[in-house]
Amino acid sequence: MMTSVQIQNLTAEQAYTALGSDPGGLSNAEAGDRLREIGANSIEIGDPWRIARSLLRQFTNFFTILLVVSAAICFAAESVQPGQSMALLGWALAGVALLNALFSFIQEYRAERAMQALRKFLPPTVEVVRGGQTQTLLADELVPGDLLLLNEGMRIPADARMVDATNLTINNAPLTGESRPVILTAGPTDSRLVESSNVAFAGCLVMRGSGQGIVFATGLRTEFGKLAHLSQALRRAPSPLEQQTAHMVRTLTIIAVSLGVTFFLYGVFSGRSLWINLVFMMGIIVANVPEGLLPTFTLALAMGSLRMARKNVLVTGLNAVEGLGATQVICTDKTGTLTLNQLAVTRLVAPLSGADLSDPQAREQMLNIALCACEVHTVDDAYRGDPLDVAIAQSLAGGAAGGGSPARVLRHFPFDVERKRSAGIGEVADRQLFAVKGAWEVIRPLLSHVGEPGQERRPVSDEALDRAEAVMTELAGAGYRVVAVAGREQPGEVPEGIAQDELEHDLVLAGFLGIEDPIRPEVPSALERCRTAGIEVMMITGDHPDTALAVATRCGIVDAGATGEQVLTGDVLEQLTETALEEALERGVRIFARTNPSQKMKIVMALRNMERVVAMTGDGVNDAPALKAADIGIAMGKSGTDVARASAQIILLDDNFASIVAGIEEGRTVFQNIRKFTNYVLVSNGPEIIPYLLYIMLPVPLALTVIQILTIDLGTDIIPSMALGQEPAEPEVMQQPPRKRDFHLLSPGLVIHSYLFLGLLEAAWSLGLFFFVLVQGGWHYGMELAFDDPVYRSATGIALATILLMQIGNLVGRRFARHSGLDAGIFKNRLMLAGIMIQIVFSWALLYTKPLQTVLGTGPVAWYVYLAAWLGIPLIFGADYLRKRLTWRAPARRSFPEQPSP
């Protein structure tokens, strides 16, 4: 069978022969044999173990491994000395590990299913000729040799060599990144495959016309599929949150194990029994490991992803929720992201004066002349055809003109790439006109007169042509795509078969159309928010440098009056070394023009070498490597290819730049909330750890049992943590610069605040009441108490109740980094109110209800002792608010705080 390298060089007849087909197409039997031999026309590589690997991956983090090992130790201890509730503890730890793994897996699975719902890039059905009959097939059933029918608006499902083409124009942007239309023909060519004018490539769009092509490559053998396969081989670097979570987990795990083993050995050499030392070691490990933190992490990210989805930002990996918030640099496309991706005629300019036409009749006259050179038809009340032709028709119909009848096109001469113009004959107000529209440089030699509105038309002269060229240059310099419009009256019948060249004479220049892809109205304000938030925005486009600079100026990427020094073209970029590119970025280059998608990778790697967190947008197949190389890959949901979406972590459902900024705000809020509930959870570690240190070093009873610690970590702290994960953005969240790449979630400031400040306060108050109850009950220093002694049960009960109540003050204080947290907003967070109620009710129930007394080993206390436990709430809240006032008084703390978000 003929290879794809040679297919474009053959005539149509030779292509049929090479592929074992003919103009009647393959027989159904032959097509079936080829399908079984070659496989389905699909770019997806089946992985039967993907789900199993995804589930297994959830069990490989340090926390989960530690919990599983700890559960195993508990089961072993229960077998050695039954009846000590170690099996119950083991099942609790194993359950936490399993629950967290399943929860993370379910969230990933749901995100993947949501992305699969977007996979509609290749058409589900296509029309082919088989056995001389036109048939409709699933796109997956195409095989080499099939005769494929192409029609306007369809996505091409496989690589096909054209054997017939009628005004067939293709947009190859999904494959090449170049958005210029390509006109296909059926004749042989000597060019390379990807530059061939007789090959339609899979994944590309038929803009207009129709044709027939013989399929020569399907699935992963297509150019589209080859790039898709290459992108699948790239491995994505861990996201900022993955790195920070791994650092925090490693740190807490090392601390927990080190303390546990150290004091276990200390106990052994001190002569304590193995059983007591084992219980102590398990207590230290359980107290240091915030077992409920990872499930809360996952839940916070999941809730953040749902909120992002409401803002048209689909998250395919949960860590990308926060990763988007860490973004320092956004590399964005222009077309469709900053702009509407809809050509519009925004200026109609007189040819000599350069004045914008304001008279409705003059505007209508110019647009009608231009429309005579267009080919537009209406389908379901919508215009179809070349985007430029559609823009002219919409401008004429949408009130840009005087409201008269539009031109009726009698004959059309399609746009020709070499001619750089299109032409046509039309009827306007009972007059027959011949019109031409296109590039000024090719229309200029065809002119005989120039028509200025309100004046008699004048013969062309060098002076008039130079003035017209100056008008065109000024319009182009302002960022418009300039289309020259010329025409003349065409009296009488036009002979059939007359060539375009025979009609192109004595033309009158009517003026210039200023065409642009309008900037999305919300983009300038979104870019201003980026500027305020310290986020750099760079434009990467295939457009002309002047156009790119003009659009970037109007958007706000660069300031008005910016020069070409801030623009770098693809040709120059190709020659730069990585070091030279980094220097250019440091100098302030923010616009990359005339670039191709492969150069995006070079830009991404340079920024990452500069320690920037990079978000990259893309929609084409060639964008996939850059999307994977970036910290956050952002694909377009509407215009993006399936391969780009599969390579990205974020999918914009509306292709809108403003949605990226909304996602960044949500991502920053998620990280801020993660800091809040991490801080909240770690505070209770202090009063959980210190009792075990006192127990092993001093002759005093153990103030908290392992089961009681788990009651805090897996019970009463979960709902408040979830509530903090739902807190809205703080007012300053988009007024602070992005955090640095090496910013640690478990920072020194957070550790000091959690363990050595609020943690010590909770430990001091809870232990004070613990020893108060013991002394009241007759205990003295050095005296041993049995675990079932009523005095001990009451004392450990009040210690646990005090921690729960003080966590209420801690919870309210964590809502804001600078404010008290006591405001009306607390009543809008129902989870927070529920969490507070749970802690209040549970603190009472564990002291005074039999079932909880039995399970937790607690007992009742006098009412005034329980009341004293309530005083811990204003104590911890007031101390923390005083710290906030002192800490945030300095103006220098305006940057992203190293201090946690308490």
Side-chain angles (χ1 to χ4, degrees), residues 369 433-436 447 457 485-489 506-510:
I369 294 172
L433 301 178
F434 172 75
V436 179
L447 300 174
R457 65 183 187 179
V485 178
R488 63 173 175 80
E489 288 197 23
D506 296 328
L507 297 180
V508 180
L509 179 63

Side-chain angles (χ1 to χ4, degrees), residues 26 78 126 336 386 427 457 539 684 742 761 844 866 883:
L26 300 174
E78 180 70 17
V126 293
D386 181 89
E427 190 174 80
R457 65 183 187 179
M539 178 197 291
S684 63
D742 59 355
L761 275 178
W844 174 84
Y866 180 57
R883 177 201 63 81

Side-chain angles (χ1 to χ4, degrees), residues 84 131 140 306 339 356 364 393 401 403 548 578 605 613 773 882 890 893:
Q84 300 296 321
D140 288 355
L306 292 175
T339 65
D356 287 294
E364 179 182 310
E578 286 188 8
M605 298 313 297
V613 178
V773 172
L882 179 61
R893 295 302 304 272

Side-chain angles (χ1 to χ4, degrees), residues 21 35 164 223 281 302 508 557 573 637 647 838 895:
S21 186
L35 183 62
D164 180 65
E223 297 303 307
M281 182 181 72
V508 180
I557 292 177
L573 175 61
S647 301
I838 287 172
S895 61

Side-chain angles (χ1 to χ4, degrees), residues 133-372:
Q133 301 292 324
T134 301
Q135 300 181 19
T136 300
L137 305 175
L138 292 175
D140 288 355
E141 297 174 354
L142 277 176
V143 296
D146 266 327
L147 187 59
L148 177 66
L149 304 183
L150 301 182
N151 294 292
E152 184 177 306
M154 72 176 287
R155 290 278 180 188
I156 302 167
D159 290 354
R161 160 68 163 87
M162 302 311 301
V163 294
D164 180 65
T166 304
N167 296 332
L168 185 61
T169 304
I170 304 293
N171 182 357
N172 281 341
L175 182 68
T176 65
E178 179 58 64
S179 60
R180 288 200 183 111
V182 177
I183 298 176
L184 297 189
T185 61
T189 176
D190 294 329
S191 60
R192 295 188 308 124
L193 179 67
V194 294
E195 298 171 350
S196 299
S197 60
N198 59 6
V199 175
F201 293 104
C204 298
L205 178 68
V206 179
M207 297 178 65
R208 67 169 178 259
S210 60
Q212 295 182 348
I214 183 168
V215 175
F216 65 87
T218 59
L220 291 172
R221 296 176 181 84
T222 63
E223 297 303 307
F224 188 100
K226 292 172 185 176
L227 288 168
H229 183 59
L230 286 175
S231 69
Q232 291 171 357
L234 291 172
R235 298 181 65 88
R236 184 182 297 281
S239 71
L241 182 62
E242 288 175 310
Q243 296 172 0
Q244 296 310 314
T245 303
H247 172 268
M248 182 185 72
V249 166
R250 283 195 302 269
T251 302
L252 292 179
T253 301
I254 290 171
I255 291 173
V257 173
S258 299
L259 282 175
V261 171
T262 299
F263 284 99
F264 175 81
L265 295 175
Y266 176 83
V268 170
F269 289 116
S270 300
R272 293 177 182 259
S273 69
L274 180 64
W275 167 252
I276 291 177
N277 287 319
L278 186 62
V279 171
F280 172 76
M281 182 181 72
M282 291 303 304
I284 285 287
I285 292 175
V286 170
N288 271 282
V289 176
E291 292 84 2
L293 193 57
L294 285 187
T296 311
F297 259 53
T298 306
L299 187 60
L301 293 174
M303 291 188 295
S305 70
L306 292 175
R307 291 193 297 270
M308 282 187 172
R310 298 188 193 107
K311 299 176 180 178
N312 292 313
V313 180
L314 177 64
V315 179
T316 63
L318 287 182
N319 285 314
V321 174
E322 180 280 333
L324 189 59
T327 299
Q328 297 172 323
V329 180
I330 302 173
C331 297
T332 179
D333 291 325
K334 176 183 73 69
T335 304
T337 307
L338 297 174
T339 65
L340 292 171
N341 196 20
Q342 298 172 358
L343 291 184
V345 180
T346 54
R347 294 187 66 183
L348 287 82
V349 177
L352 298 180
S353 65
D356 287 294
L357 301 186
S358 56
D359 179 59
Q361 290 185 345
R363 293 172 65 86
E364 179 182 310
Q365 181 179 4
M366 184 186 295
L367 287 171
N368 264 321
I369 294 172
L371 189 61
C372 289

